[in-house]
Amino acid sequence: MFFHRKELMVPVEVRKPDPVFAQFLLQQFGGATGELTAGLQYWIQSFHCPKPGIRDLLQDIAVEEFGHLEVVGKLIEEHTRGIEKTVPELEHSPIFAIRGRGPHLIDDAGVSWTAAYINEGGDVVRDLRADIAAEAGARETYEVLLERAIDPGTKKVLHYLLTREVAHTKMFMKALESLGKLTEPLFGNIKPDETVKVYYHLSTNGAAQRGPWNQEPEFTYVADPAKMIEHGELAGVGGKH
Ligand code: MN
Ligand code: MN
């Protein structure tokens, strides 16, 4: 059941409307990294989450994201105020010049929102990892928006929204940790074969770059996979150097 309280999560005050900036803001309304994507992704995931605690977390954050969607919508509405008149800035924002005062369910390039943006299904570990990625995308977009924002009221709201995405990331990470899956890539019932340890060095020019992602004891570094193909060993074990 939903109730709608006629009050924003954070007050929105825009002194100088800027339709060009409003077009940037559309990314967080009807874009891939936007609030609708996040809200619907967590909400839908919650239906097939077997853990009551994590289900509750997904639903609470989903509802908060819908609150963010409302805030971003209000920001866009305010930044396209007075659009009925022919203002010169509008020439640089054809989306609002043609569609009228926003928001609209499109991204900054005018592409319609699609459910294909949503990453969910199958397993709570997979879902939570998708959620951490979704939060990273949102945080990144808010940083880009903040760097371009001029209006002080707008900046304040965007900083709040960016902060909340960081908070959500931490919560999703803690949820994964509670399942023992924050640093453990394996989940599900099928054990991987022995190549799970193999790192294939598949670039032929330039110096080989080494790091914890391709080093012992976690990984066996195959310096010359081409040689292994000759010997028919590529899919085999051992990873001889
Ligand atoms: Mn959000
Ligand atoms: Mn979030």
Side-chain angles (χ1 to χ4, degrees):
M1 187 192 300
F2 289 92
F3 291 98
H4 181 247
R5 191 177 162 117
K6 292 177 187 170
E7 189 185 334
L8 294 170
M9 282 194 84
V10 61
V12 169
E13 200 190 307
V14 175
R15 263 183 244 153
K16 197 179 175 301
D18 178 355
V20 175
F21 190 69
Q23 191 167 328
F24 277 95
L25 285 168
L26 281 172
Q27 174 63 15
Q28 285 309 92
F29 195 83
T33 64
E35 300 295 352
L36 183 68
T37 303
L40 285 176
Q41 177 164 311
Y42 311 154
W43 183 250
I44 288 154
Q45 286 176 353
S46 78
F47 286 97
H48 50 72
C49 180
K51 308 261 176 196
I54 296 176
R55 175 186 285 239
D56 205 44
L57 166 79
L58 289 166
Q59 291 184 345
D60 280 339
I61 299 182
V63 174
E64 183 178 347
E65 304 293 14
F66 294 133
H68 292 179
L69 183 70
E70 187 177 32
V71 167
V72 175
K74 181 69 180 168
L75 269 178
I76 294 168
E77 186 190 339
E78 285 303 302
H79 274 289
T80 52
R81 180 168 89 209
I83 209 119
E84 300 78 16
K85 295 174 218 138
T86 312
V87 291
E89 290 94 327
L90 275 179
E91 286 170 24
H92 303 289
S93 176
I95 285 179
F96 293 108
I98 288 171
R99 296 212 186 202
R101 194 173 184 183
H104 309 289
L105 205 50
I106 49 179
D107 69 11
D108 56 301
V111 177
S112 292
W113 185 84
T114 163
Y117 293 151
I118 289 178
N119 188 348
E120 59 82 28
D123 190 286
V124 62
V125 175
R126 170 245 168 100
D127 280 355
L128 287 168
R129 288 189 181 148
D131 299 346
I132 291 168
E135 294 293 340
R139 198 219 62 86
E140 185 68 8
T141 304
Y142 280 125
E143 181 157 327
V144 170
L145 292 170
L146 261 170
E147 282 166 356
R148 281 159 181 76
I150 297 163
D151 177 71
T154 302
K155 280 184 175 180
K156 214 172 154 186
V157 172
L158 293 174
H159 191 227
Y160 168 80
L161 293 171
L162 180 149
T163 302
R164 292 307 301 159
E165 311 312 12
V166 177
H168 296 161
T169 308
K170 276 191 172 178
M171 292 160 196
F172 289 136
M173 289 173 91
K174 282 287 175 196
L176 261 183
E177 196 175 37
S178 76
L179 301 170
K181 297 297 177 191
L182 183 59
T183 57
E184 169 53 65
L186 293 179
F187 65 96
N189 304 313
I190 300 176
K191 296 248 180 304
D193 67 27
E194 55 274 26
T195 59
V196 73
K197 280 178 74 78
V198 178
Y199 182 95
Y200 297 117
H201 174 235
L202 290 166
S203 354
T204 51
N205 36 5
Q209 301 290 325
R210 302 300 300 269
W213 53 85
N214 62 20
Q215 273 169 199
E216 300 282 352
E218 204 82 42
F219 300 103
T220 307
Y221 189 80
V222 178
D224 192 356
K227 217 171 258 172
M228 293 185 80
I229 293 176
E230 282 165 27
H231 296 98
E233 291 171 343
L234 193 62
V237 227
K240 308 251 168 4
H241 290 227

